[in-house]
Amino acid sequence: MYSKEHVIRFLEKRFDGVAADQDAVTRRYNSYVQTTFADYLKECVARYVSQKTKVLDIGSGFGSFVYLLRKDGIEATGMEISDFLVGYARHRFDVEFGESVVSSDEVYLHQSALAIPFSDNSFDVITIWNVLEHLPDYRDLLKEVSRVLKPGGKLFIKNVNYASCFVEPHYRVLWIPLLPKWIAQVYLKLRGRNPQYLMEEIHYITNSKVLRELTRHDYVISSRLIDRLADKAIDIKNPLKRFIFEVLDICGLRKTLLWILKLQLKNPFVDYIDIIATKK
């Protein structure tokens, strides 16, 4: 049931009229079913997690990110509402780990993240990768996330910013930021695409909206680059990067660059929402 052929057929049906051609389906398979995208995400959280860290991945999809963390001995849990995606994730986990100390049912939870089945302050790190635009009201999710994230815990958010979206990431067609859906529906039909996915499953999300909601919940907003630049004790192995940091310090420019980067975080027209939020 979970062979590559079965998964490809699932993706073809799921994105019928959305993906332009078979190559688009294959790229999605390589990125999300295999570990291409998950490898990148693992690098994003590497300096924030260890085997003592409890991680919750919301909208875990095919489970690749959680799978990689578990292979490193990190206590990661995924939440996903799609039957097929959860089934695939559990199947792969069982094949890889066999009779492990934890059941795949406990690693991949099949339910909505709007009612997370954990007590307050349960997780050190929570990740939300490309999920917010699929929720009718992202604020309900962020409220629940704030409940289960520990004080000092990290919330990672990556998401398309529809205020600066010139290529719709699902249909891969030229786009106008925040294009009214009644116009978008006509436009997609003229492009030979099925607008149903847009109308039912896409909810425009912007950098400003996310930042405003995180501020309401009293988060400190940062990014990986800001954290690296602010950490003078960090061991930078790349000689060129180490040289650049040394020059910044000699010229007294590190604080100035940090100020510019923090200002850029609030830019409503950033290409992509890429935030680390720390719970106070």
Side-chain angles (χ1 to χ4, degrees):
M1 179 180 178
Y2 297 112
S3 66
K4 179 177 180 179
E5 290 73 22
H6 281 99
V7 175
I8 290 292
R9 283 201 291 272
F10 168 82
L11 290 172
E12 288 173 341
K13 182 177 180 181
R14 180 80 174 86
F15 295 101
D16 182 33
V18 178
D21 50 33
Q22 188 61 39
D23 286 342
V25 171
T26 301
R27 286 194 298 273
R28 185 169 287 274
Y29 177 90
N30 292 336
S31 293
Y32 298 108
V33 184
Q34 297 185 331
T35 62
T36 303
F37 187 54
D39 284 328
Y40 162 70
L41 297 177
K42 183 182 166 186
E43 290 180 11
C44 292
V45 304
R47 71 187 298 256
Y48 302 92
V49 301
S50 68
Q51 293 189 354
K52 295 181 180 180
T53 307
K54 290 186 67 175
V55 179
L56 177 64
D57 183 35
I58 291 176
S60 52
F62 286 98
S64 299
F65 175 63
V66 170
Y67 169 76
L68 290 182
L69 293 184
R70 283 280 176 173
K71 288 186 74 173
D72 286 346
I74 296 167
E75 187 179 345
T77 302
M79 295 188 69
E80 174 59 53
I81 61 173
S82 165
D83 297 353
F84 187 88
L85 301 187
V86 172
Y88 178 88
R90 289 174 175 175
H91 170 75
R92 177 165 58 181
F93 185 87
D94 289 336
V95 170
E96 173 68 26
F97 295 97
E99 296 294 326
S100 84
V101 294
V102 60
S103 165
S104 60
D105 292 0
E106 298 175 56
V107 176
Y108 295 102
L109 306 183
H110 182 205
Q111 69 172 78
S112 167
L114 297 181
I116 300 175
F118 293 96
S119 59
D120 296 358
N121 307 323
S122 293
F123 292 93
D124 303 289
V125 170
I126 297 180
T127 57
I128 309 176
W129 311 122
N130 297 327
V131 171
L132 294 183
E133 80 268 26
H134 298 297
L135 299 173
D137 194 339
Y138 67 96
R139 294 171 295 184
D140 292 337
L141 173 60
L142 293 182
K143 180 179 179 181
E144 185 69 349
V145 163
S146 296
R147 180 183 67 80
V148 298
L149 184 63
K150 294 178 180 179
K154 304 289 185 181
L155 169 60
F156 289 76
I157 296 176
K158 288 184 182 291
N159 209 93
V160 61
N161 178 21
Y162 275 95
S164 185
C165 180
F166 293 93
V167 175
E168 208 293 318
H170 306 87
Y171 289 88
R172 303 303 300 173
V173 295
L174 291 176
W175 203 253
I176 296 174
L178 301 175
L179 182 65
K181 284 196 171 183
W182 68 271
I183 299 177
Q185 187 172 16
V186 175
Y187 169 64
L188 287 173
K189 287 181 179 179
L190 291 173
R191 294 294 303 265
R193 306 296 180 85
N194 184 353
Q196 182 178 358
Y197 186 84
L198 175 78
M199 303 303 289
E200 296 180 358
E201 301 198 36
I202 301 299
H203 306 273
Y204 293 154
I205 193 74
T206 68
N207 192 50
S208 297
K209 287 182 178 180
V210 173
L211 290 175
R212 186 161 55 246
E213 191 63 20
L214 291 173
T215 300
R216 283 187 64 249
H217 290 286
D218 210 21
Y219 283 92
V220 176
I221 311 300
S222 186
S223 70
R224 285 187 298 144
L225 182 55
I226 289 173
D227 287 355
R228 282 177 61 85
L229 194 61
D231 185 1
K232 292 187 177 182
I234 191 170
D235 180 20
I236 303 172
K237 294 181 172 59
N238 184 291
L240 177 59
K241 290 182 180 179
R242 185 166 59 247
F243 172 75
I244 292 172
F245 272 58
E246 289 172 353
V247 170
L248 287 173
D249 284 333
I250 291 171
C251 299
L253 295 176
R254 188 189 287 240
K255 289 185 178 179
T256 301
L257 183 54
L258 275 171
W259 180 82
I260 293 172
L261 291 173
K262 289 177 181 179
L263 191 63
Q264 178 66 8
L265 274 178
K266 300 179 181 180
N267 178 2
F269 304 112
V270 291
D271 292 338
Y272 202 77
I273 302 170
D274 192 354
I275 292 168
I276 300 174
T278 303
K279 181 179 174 181
K280 292 184 180 178

